[in-house]
Each structure stands twice: as C-alpha cells, then as structure tokens.
Amino acid sequence: MERLRRGNPILPVVLVLGLWWPSGCADPEGAEETGDDSPGSSLLRVSLPSPFIRGYARDIKGEVLQYHSPVPMIGTSLLVRSEDRVRSIAWETGPVPRSYQGQEATFALMVGIDVNAEPRQFDFRINGEDVLTFANPLSAALGDTLFWQGHQGVRGAFHVTLMDRYGDAMGFLLLTVPRGIWEPGESMRIEVIGESAGERTWFMVFRDSLEPRIELQNAPAVLRTARGEAQVLRLDLLTLEGGQAFHMDSPLGTVDTVTTMGHARFTLPVPVVERPEPLIVEYGLGDHRGEFSYTVVPPRRMEIFLLHHTHLDIGYTHHQDEVERIQWASLEEALRLGAASEQYPEGSRFVWNPEGIWAVESYVRAHPGEETDRLMEGIRKGWIELDGMYAGLLTGLANEETLLHAFDAARELSRRSGVAIESEMLSDVPGFSWGLVEALARNGIRYLSIGPNFGHRIGYVTEALGDRPFWWEAPSGESRVLTWVSGGGYAWFHTGLVYERLATQMEVRIFQYLDQLFAGEYHYDLTYLRYNIGSDNGPPDTGLSNAVRSWNDRFASPVLRISGRTAAFE
C-alpha cells in the first residue's frame, strides 16, 4: 500500500453500503472518441480521407460486450444472439454529408459473426424497414468476402480479416444503401434481430466510427538495449482500402508500407527523453499529403504483479470429482514449478494461487504423510499462497454463522503450515453482502482481490470500481479491508484450451491492459493482473517463470512480478 502512495494521491477511504455490486442496467450510452492526455501516453489521432460513411456513431440499444477485434484499439461491441427476437441490437450511423451527390452510399462497419454448422438467420433493418436477411456461415477463412444481397438495392460485402482462436469470422462490412433510404445530412437507424431459437449463435458490431486514421502515442514500454534504455512510440494505421502507399517521415524514423484493409502497427524505439520533445511528422497516403506536430514525453514506468491462479468452478466444465482431481494435479505441478524456479531472479519465481481452500483441504485429507508435508513446505516457501475462504460463496444467501465458518479450513491450514493467511481472492461472483467485510476482518484477512467476469452479467462494476483500490469499511466502522477490483477481470488471459499460444499473446494482452488503464485517471506506478489461463479450473502455466524472466531482461518497464496476493497488496 505504501508503494501505491509514492508520488500519487492516497488511496480513498470508501464506505460502501448494502449490496454494493450494481444490479440495475440502463441502456448504454453512445461511445465518444476522446484523446488521451494521461502522463506518459500523449495519444494523437489524425483523420485520413475515406470514400465510406461512418456505419456506427452511437448506441441505441443492446448488450454491450467487451471482446477482441481485428483492431487492437477497439474492444467493445453490441452483441445479438439467436435466442429471442425481442433482444435485438440497434445503433445510429454517422450522417451522410449534405454535399454528397451519389445515388448510393456505402457505410463501413467492423463486425464479427459466429461460424458453426447450424446456420441461424438475422434480420437487418434500416429506419424500421426489413432490408436484408443473412445467415451465419457454415465455414469461413481469412481473406474471404461474404456477399449479402437484400431488398431495394441494399447489399453488404463482409471482408474477413481475422479468424479468431474460436474459429469465428471478424472483419469489415461495407453496407451499400441507395438514396431514398437515406437523405443527405441525416443518419440512419440500424437494427439487427436474431431468431427466437433459444440458441447462442451470435452477430456483433463493434462500437467504433471506423474513420481511417493514424494514431501515434508513447507506448507504455521502456526497452533495454545495447545503447541504453529506449522508449517506444507506437504508430497504428487504420485504413479501409488496400493497395495504397503509406509513408511517414520524422525524426522518430521512417515508415514505408502498402496498406491492406484494416489495421497495421509499427513500433519506433527512440532514446528515453527527460522532458517533452516536440517534433514535426510528415505523412502521405495515396495522393493525400499532410503533416502534424507531436510531442514525445518521458515514459511512464510501471510495475505489474501477476497473480497466477486457477478459476475454481464446479459444474460449468467438469463434475465435482473431476474438478477435485484437476485441482490436486495443479497443486502438485505448482510445487514442481516452485522448486524449479527457486534460484530465478526475484519476480520470476513461480507462485500459485489456488482460489479457494476447498481443493487444498481435500488434498490434505486424501494425501496424508509425505505428500502433505511437501505441500506444507511449498506453502512455507511461498510457492503456493492460500485463500482465506473455503470457496467463492454467494454471500447474499449466507447468514453470519455461515460466513464465519467459511474460514474454518483456512485457519486449520494456517496453523498446520505456520503461515498466516491475510488475503482473499474472489472470482466470477456477481456481488457480495456488506457482512463479508466483518467476516474477513475477524479472520485476519486484510486484503481482498475481486476478479469480475469482464464480459457480461456484472452491471457497471468494472467501470465504477475497476482498478480503483479502496478501503471497504464494515457496518461497525471499526473494521476495513483493502479491496481492489481487477480492471482486467479474472480472465484477461483466458485462451480456450490452447496454452501454447499464450506466450505469443502475453505482450499483446499486457499492453492492451495498460492502454485501457492509462485511458482512465490512474495515478499509481504499480498494478496487478489476474493470470488465469485455459478456462475454468485452468492449470499452472509451465512457461510463466521463463517468460517473466525473459520479459524483465528485455523491458526496463513495465516490470513483471509473479506474486501472491499479499505481496502485491502490501
């Protein structure tokens, strides 16, 4: 906690009443593009010419989902499924320019669609009229173009630029609409409606205007090089036409490329600056030429604690007896990895957070003797950090006695290992009662890490409390627990079941998280991320210690540290 305070505002003292998890859900407000003037970032956006009209401008209704996309800077969508026609999505386009003379206008959208063997239909409405019906594809491949023909001359061309890890298609939809359906100076209202089939088959539209642009910013990274430290500037180029020459020239360096539809990223290492350094950047795209001024600012240095854990979940992917065996195997693997990394540099030594005490207690009961002795030794060495609670309880259904007994197993294991248990990790639970604070404090728990589901069914908890650490006070006012809702949720590193791909994704995910963090008013020089791979009941990552050691050899910032919860919070 003291490190959080260094050079930064103190942690707020917050009294939270009743069930503090937001339960209501109002219609989402429209997305608004804003610059980022947070220290160390200095984001600059430069618009580029486009023959297309903005296909998205603001939300009207629908489920908002945080999700990956073909463009790393864009990560929220409106999602509709083939469950119930009442649950549609709708949005407003940008206006057609008043000076536009054409008889047809083409609107650009970034979309994604489920690819599976059972097609479901979606109805596309413009200004309340059905103009197009399309179905999800049975199969798709990178580079495909799917053509959807509608009524009254409406037609769509879906250019697939990403097949994601689940085999679903994402890319850019160019929607051509004849004059008469739209009028110059006016926007259109678009609605997409799924079938009432009770199926999860989905379609999504991403909440971005898709204006072609250059984005230049100081990336949150400092490299170690043979010539000393170098900070990184990041150039993101979003274009909707392929085959155009792009050139950028500046003291930062030169970029020459030919565009493809979609996103391209370039990194420009430059010597670390001690004070803001203004410069002029010249660029060209096709026949268009321009220049802009940009200021290189000193890099923002960060420390990130990685809390590597399983997500204990019984019944969603496995039966209880299967989950128990999986969790036991993870404990034994964690002991092996802890021993193997014992001589590694500080921060890269393996630490495992089992998330709940249930599997640890049952392991001890089932494995008396040498196996339990090894487990206790691993706990004493810090390879495994125990939770305070038996499991992730629905505290709103628990009375005072139930809450207090949830810590019985932890007290016994603490006594047996000789290691105090001072923190708790709760994941994927939609709310907590106020009485939890008193129960935690009475049992010696000082720190509470909350990892919500970052996709849906959580109201606005992440928006309201994500990465805003606070003291949660008990009703008595005499007890409090330092509480931190992880802005990355509990599943920032979920990868389906393809663990071997994770190493290549670590850099992408960490910098995506830092971009998200710095876009808000985050004043601290450290943070933490839940590192939970695979899916529910995911295993230890056997390559994590080596990955973190290599990371810290390469980057002077952000520094990564594998950690338990208590060390991260202290």
Side-chain angles (χ1 to χ4, degrees):
M1 185 176 67
E2 292 302 320
R3 288 175 305 202
L4 280 170
R5 288 176 170 168
R6 283 207 305 264
N8 298 303
I10 63 171
L11 291 171
V13 177
V14 177
L15 176 64
V16 186
L17 301 177
L19 286 170
W20 59 273
W21 219 261
S23 58
C25 186
D27 285 343
E29 297 181 359
E32 179 180 358
E33 290 194 326
T34 60
D36 181 359
D37 58 359
S38 57
S41 179
S42 189
L43 171 65
L44 178 72
R45 290 175 177 163
V46 179
S47 295
L48 297 172
S50 173
F52 306 120
I53 297 167
R54 290 180 296 146
Y56 170 91
R58 70 174 187 90
D59 297 349
I60 295 177
K61 71 168 186 174
E63 178 184 351
V64 176
L65 177 70
Q66 184 178 357
Y67 208 67
H68 56 268
S69 83
V71 179
M73 308 94 73
I74 302 170
T76 62
S77 66
L78 293 175
L79 175 75
V80 61
R81 297 186 185 273
S82 303
E83 292 179 321
D84 186 341
R85 288 183 63 84
V86 173
R87 299 168 62 182
S88 63
I89 57 174
W91 67 94
E92 188 175 281
T93 70
V96 178
R98 293 186 182 277
S99 60
Y100 190 76
Q101 300 295 317
Q103 296 303 303
E104 293 182 325
T106 299
F107 296 79
L109 295 156
M110 186 162 66
V111 303
I113 194 166
D114 198 357
V115 176
N116 65 50
E118 296 186 10
R120 296 293 174 183
Q121 291 190 334
F122 296 87
D123 293 330
F124 211 95
R125 288 180 179 173
I126 298 179
N127 297 334
E129 294 189 30
D130 291 328
V131 296
L132 177 67
T133 296
F134 63 94
N136 62 289
L138 304 180
S139 62
L142 186 66
D144 283 356
T145 300
L146 308 181
F147 295 99
W148 298 332
Q149 186 65 48
H151 316 299
Q152 305 178 49
V154 175
R155 59 192 182 276
F158 175 30
H159 300 268
V160 179
T161 63
L162 171 68
M163 294 298 298
D164 73 4
R165 60 180 174 262
Y166 306 113
D168 297 319
M170 296 184 173
F172 300 89
L173 173 63
L174 300 181
L175 182 68
T176 301
V177 183
R179 182 184 285 265
I181 296 178
W182 54 264
E183 295 296 336
E186 296 182 2
S187 302
M188 299 191 310
R189 183 188 192 274
I190 297 179
E191 183 178 14
V192 178
I193 306 168
E195 296 181 37
S196 291
E199 298 290 341
R200 303 284 287 173
T201 307
W202 56 266
F203 172 84
M204 66 173 60
V205 60
F206 287 92
R207 303 163 70 228
D208 189 87
S209 64
L210 278 196
E211 292 175 306
R213 58 188 182 261
I214 298 169
E215 292 192 4
L216 184 63
Q217 73 177 120
N218 292 265
V222 179
L223 294 169
R224 305 182 193 273
T225 74
R227 297 181 180 180
E229 291 186 349
Q231 66 186 88
V232 176
L233 298 182
R234 187 170 65 209
L235 172 70
D236 288 294
L237 179 64
L238 176 60
T239 55
L240 300 177
E241 295 179 283
Q244 292 184 297
F246 175 79
H247 174 82
M248 190 195 81
D249 189 34
S250 76
L252 304 174
T254 299
V255 174
D256 277 299
T257 190
V258 177
T259 64
T260 58
M261 176 180 280
H263 171 262
R265 172 167 287 176
F266 307 90
T267 55
L268 306 168
V270 298
V272 171
V273 300
E274 301 297 329
R275 63 187 62 84
E277 299 281 355
L279 49 85
I280 298 297
V281 179
E282 298 177 344
Y283 69 93
L285 177 66
D287 296 330
H288 176 74
R289 299 288 181 271
E291 68 175 37
F292 56 87
S293 60
Y294 183 74
T295 300
V296 182
V297 299
R300 183 171 177 178
R301 296 177 185 264
M302 288 291 294
E303 187 176 17
I304 302 175
F305 288 81
L306 295 179
L307 273 55
H308 187 22
H309 67 102
T310 191
H311 174 43
L312 176 62
D313 195 316
I314 296 171
Y316 199 80
T317 58
H318 300 85
H319 296 296
Q320 182 167 333
D321 58 338
E322 296 174 301
V323 171
E324 187 174 47
R325 289 194 296 271
I326 291 169
Q327 295 293 348
W328 288 355
S330 291
L331 290 172
E332 293 176 347
E333 179 70 350
L335 294 174
R336 185 187 72 79
L337 294 171
S341 62
E342 193 170 14
Q343 302 305 316
Y344 278 30
E346 183 181 355
S348 58
R349 299 165 193 159
F350 191 85
V351 181
W352 180 244
N353 297 269
E355 195 187 277
I357 213 78
W358 165 72
V360 182
E361 184 204 39
S362 71
Y363 182 90
V364 169
R365 282 192 283 103
H367 299 82
E370 291 184 7
E371 290 159 308
T372 288
D373 290 343
R374 282 196 299 270
L375 176 61
M376 295 300 123
E377 182 65 16
I379 293 169
R380 285 189 283 270
K381 288 188 173 183
W383 301 341
I384 294 174
E385 178 165 359
L386 300 183
D387 279 279
M389 294 181 69
Y390 192 69
L393 301 181
L394 295 176
T395 56
L397 301 179
N399 60 21
E400 181 180 6
E401 183 179 10
T402 302
L403 279 177
L404 292 174
H405 280 303
F407 298 86
D408 290 351
R411 283 199 304 273
E412 171 58 25
L413 286 170
S414 176
R415 183 198 63 77
R416 187 164 184 170
S417 67
V419 177
I421 299 175
E422 300 179 293
S423 61
E424 172 60 29
M425 168 183 285
L426 293 170
S427 306
D428 201 19
V429 178
F432 306 97
S433 63
W434 201 6
L436 175 63
V437 182
E438 191 69 46
L440 290 166
R442 284 192 197 178
N443 286 278
I445 304 301
R446 299 189 293 154
Y447 309 122
L448 174 60
S449 166
I450 295 174
N453 187 312
F454 67 82
H456 46 85
R457 297 170 294 179
I458 58 170
Y460 293 102
V461 65
T462 302
E463 296 172 42
L465 297 174
D467 289 320
R468 294 174 176 86
F470 61 92
W471 289 106
W472 190 7
E473 291 188 351
S476 66
E478 298 177 358
S479 302
R480 65 180 188 172
V481 175
L482 182 59
T483 303
W484 194 328
V485 178
S486 174
Y490 78 94
W492 190 255
F493 291 94
H494 266 196
T495 55
L497 295 174
V498 191
Y499 311 127
E500 60 270 17
R501 295 182 187 172
L502 190 61
T504 61
Q505 291 297 312
M506 178 183 283
E507 186 171 327
V508 173
R509 298 298 286 156
I510 285 176
F511 287 124
Q512 281 180 342
Y513 169 71
L514 288 178
D515 287 344
Q516 171 184 301
L517 190 68
F518 294 164
E521 296 182 1
Y522 191 80
H523 303 289
Y524 309 124
D525 57 6
L526 65 85
T527 186
Y528 83 94
L529 268 174
R530 298 288 201 89
Y531 188 82
N532 164 230
I533 67 170
S535 186
D536 293 343
N537 304 298
D541 180 357
T542 59
L544 180 60
S545 288
N546 287 331
V548 169
R549 182 170 64 174
S550 297
W551 176 287
N552 290 333
D553 287 343
R554 181 184 176 198
F555 290 101
S557 178
V559 174
L560 300 186
R561 300 194 183 280
I562 307 171
S563 177
R565 301 169 306 281
T566 303
F569 276 56
E570 283 183 335

